[in-house]
Amino acid sequence: MKRIFTTSILSLLVLFSVAQDTGTVKGVVKDKESGETIIGASVVWSTDKGRGAATDFDGNFSLQLPGGAQKIIITSIGYETQTLPVTVKNGETTTVTIALGMESQQMEMVVVSAGKFEQKREDLTVSVAVIKPDIIESRGSTSAEDALEQTPGLTIMDGEAQMRGGSGYSFGAGSRVMLLVDDLPILSGDAGRPSWGFVPIENLEQIEVIKGASSVLYGSSALNGIINIRTAYPKDKPKTKINLYTGFYSAPAQEDARWWDQDDLPIYGGMNFFHSRKVGTWDIVAGGNFLIDNGFIGPETGDTIIQGAAAVVDTRDSTGAVLDWHAPRKEFSNRFRFNVNIRKRSIKTPGLAYGINANAMYSKGTSTLLWMNNTYGLYRPYAGSITRTVQTSFNIDPFITYSGTKGSKHTLRGRVFHQNNDNDNNQGNMNYVFFGEYQFAHRFAEVKDLTITVGTMAQYSLSEAQLYLGNERGDGKSNATNAALYVQVDKKFWNRVNLNGGARFEYFSINSQDTIIRPVFRIGANTRLWKEGYLRASFGEGFRFPSIAERYIFTTVGGLPIVPNPDVQPERSYAAEVGLMQGIKIGKFLGYLDLAGFYQYYMNFVEFNAGQFGAPNGQYGRFAFKSLNTGDARVYGVDVSLIGNGQFTPWFGMNVMAGYTYSRPQSVDPFYVYAKDSLGNDVSQVSSSSSMFGTQFDPNYPKPTAADTAEFAKNGILKYRFEHLANVDVEFVFTIKKKYKLSVGGTYRYYSYMKNVDRVFYQLDVAGFPWNAVEFREQNNSGDHVFDLRGAIELTENIKLGISVKNLANRVYALRPLKVNAPRTTQLQLTVQF
């Protein structure tokens, strides 16, 4: 007993002595310009960098240091490093306020998606594009799909994201580009298809686009890359923003295709809004969007009758029978969406936060698969090819995060995502996605610039649909299970070289029929060669399991059957990239130029094919669509981008974003027979490609010449791809009388001619079907140049008025064959914030 008492007294004396020899430095770290507190800034003792702290959700830190004159080093991604001398008094607390200035280069961008923790853009080992919310607002974008169309290397064709030619058109079934909102997947559980109108863009932090295989961190659908929509939490000052817009579609340049009266242009309008504020330790954001769009695609059948200034549609079909509809069967889109983000910052446990995010949408609309013909029916749907949808969607995302003072972070989050598409034409479908993920990341203080990220996830998808009656039981009820473990290690050496590597182990199962466990790996490196010059290289594997839709869809649209293939197998790939990023400073213009070469090889490549796969008694004979494994394929090319800005005088500035992508998507063996059609004919890239035969078709599968096949094997590309993509966005900003800001900008997009589509469309044209796809492609075989123009003026600090004109030249073009893109649209926009 006496020994215990003596030991206790000695321990107290030691602790008292230590306390007398040290003091506490407490403080807050803020943004020098805005005054907002900075979360996660690092504060370390210059003598022993293993002794440090990270700022909490309110920007506060506390650090115990020896008494006397000391120095602390404060760093945060995107900010200039600051060294601060402090005098520490033994047994006392010294309070400081630290203001960090932003780095002076355009490359200050901070990216989370590449490694699931904050990194400077110049330290990344992969290609990335970052889109800021002010760019989206200035363009007058009304959806995430619209906001992304200027991203170098990315094309969104009829709602499907294509990255660097890695995928063609799949009629909405399966995606090789993962769409995320706040790091959580938001693709439908049955088809893997994004719903762009559901994505909240009114309260953005930024959009991050990662190009190249990202399966190690994000799983199956990230075979070609990811798009991460990152929403913003409140700043110290409350903010409310309302964006009202209205616009109209101009008459098509092809006069005989106009289905509306000249004085009765189709219109659209809507509103985005959000409010964010801090209430004590609560962070609250609420926002939403509504849209009413009358659309530019006209009635399905019947004639347009002009009565005065109004266009009244006769809703009779070609036989004179009255259609069973209360409104004309034309394309339109109406939606209302509301979202809320709530986060609680713990006082008792610094670094702990928990909350819930939610988003819900109700929409009505129609979508068109085929145009009527390429003349008067270009902006009208082919009979039976328009689908009406009443959609209800919601997601609920609970989460808990804990950031320790020693560089560790725990994240536990979940998502329940639901979609119910009440479609006509026997195409209704409903799905649930239940997703959960735990992630631990630790940035080691004792080993400089070492970060390890480990995590596990599980996802269960449940689908019930008339669309998927092709499943094993024939009841349209299917489920899919996915689980994974992953790890990634990032280390910086000599303050110059970044290395990272990771692995993921995936488990997949659909309807308990197939169970697959697959590992994938990636490595990457980045080094600073010279001042603001960075060389990077990466290699990564990818793996994608077919979606429920690809295996089991069984329906007919406009008389065109889509048949199931329960035997379609998973696809694998490996991808390599080498890139060089160079910071640029020309006078007062700051930016970066990025050049990347990429190569991706696919095994068991899955493509949506059109051919003689149906029953003999169909409206178009045996013509049908089907998902098939088409053998091996490869895509290689180059990607160049430039982004920058400059404030040349106090009254004049400029922003630039430009890019060019060349991709060469090819079949490794175009003669490989990957299927038999319903007539027993061999199906290969050679036999099924339109580019093999020009426009002269024999319906009985003519044999190509040796010269034809040799040319195709050498230069033929995969279907529904663009070899060349270019985009330029330039904006000039003027300050008038030190009070008003006037901006004028424009965009340019180029899509090269789509050289190859399914050959059967040409055969049907020759056989007398009315779409005239061959004629339209022959008339528009030099690629498409699309121009937009915009302008805005800030009337006061809180009110901005803008106008945007898209497709300025009113070009008639179709990115996806048999569906025309919008004619010129003119939009007025009023933004109010306070």
Side-chain angles (χ1 to χ4, degrees), residues 480-633:
T481 303
N482 176 209
L485 296 169
Y486 60 86
V487 60
Q488 178 158 307
V489 179
D490 296 79
K491 178 70 174 77
K492 192 168 189 175
F493 296 91
W494 313 297
N495 203 33
R496 191 181 193 94
V497 177
N498 289 284
L499 298 178
N500 59 39
R504 186 183 185 97
F505 295 87
E506 293 263 15
Y507 166 88
F508 295 93
S509 178
I510 288 186
N511 288 347
S512 302
Q513 299 297 311
D514 289 320
T515 298
I516 293 179
I517 299 176
R518 175 71 62 181
V520 291
F521 303 92
R522 74 171 301 272
I523 55 173
N526 177 304
T527 184
R528 178 165 51 87
L529 297 176
W530 48 74
K531 185 176 181 180
E532 304 307 339
Y534 300 86
L535 177 68
R536 68 179 183 273
S538 63
F539 175 88
E541 294 181 301
F543 180 79
R544 191 181 75 86
F545 203 83
S547 65
I548 291 172
E550 287 172 289
R551 284 195 163 187
Y552 303 129
I553 188 168
F554 196 10
T555 189
T556 299
V557 182
L560 300 177
I562 305 174
V563 297
N565 183 7
D567 298 321
V568 66
Q569 296 299 305
E571 57 186 354
R572 297 185 293 124
S573 80
Y574 60 83
E577 176 182 306
V578 177
L580 176 65
M581 185 175 70
Q582 176 63 55
I584 297 173
K585 184 177 181 181
I586 305 175
K588 294 186 177 181
F589 180 85
L590 301 173
Y592 64 80
L593 178 67
D594 191 275
L595 171 65
F598 57 88
Y599 180 91
Q600 190 156 7
Y601 191 97
Y602 301 87
M603 291 150 279
N604 249 1
F605 200 44
V606 178
E607 292 273 77
F608 211 63
N609 284 248
Q612 307 283 344
F613 302 118
N617 56 349
Q619 182 176 343
Y620 305 103
R622 296 177 181 270
F623 175 79
F625 293 97
K626 188 176 185 179
S627 290
L628 295 167
N629 294 106
T630 61
D632 292 0

Side-chain angles (χ1 to χ4, degrees), residues 227-268:
I227 300 170
N228 192 6
I229 313 291
R230 292 179 55 204
T231 60
Y233 273 102
K235 308 298 183 184
D236 290 341
K237 295 180 181 179
K239 185 177 181 180
T240 300
K241 195 169 190 177
I242 300 172
N243 181 22
L244 300 166
Y245 55 90
T246 185
F248 62 88
Y249 298 96
S250 297
Q254 190 170 312
E255 180 60 28
D256 62 348
R258 179 173 59 86
W259 55 268
W260 60 82
D261 180 54
Q262 186 67 45
D263 299 323
D264 191 28
L265 298 175
I267 62 173
Y268 64 92

Side-chain angles (χ1 to χ4, degrees), residues 202 237-243 272-277 286 798 831-834:
E202 56 273 2
K237 295 180 181 179
K239 185 177 181 180
T240 300
K241 195 169 190 177
I242 300 172
N243 181 22
N272 295 327
F273 61 93
F274 81 89
H275 174 75
S276 66
R277 69 185 305 120
N798 300 322
T831 303
V832 180
Q833 68 177 28
F834 47 89

Side-chain angles (χ1 to χ4, degrees), residues 784-805:
D784 293 300
H785 304 266
V786 184
F787 297 88
D788 302 336
L789 187 65
R790 66 180 185 270
I793 184 168
E794 290 185 7
L795 301 175
T796 70
E797 187 179 346
N798 300 322
I799 300 175
K800 183 165 72 173
L801 183 64
I803 183 171
S804 60
V805 182

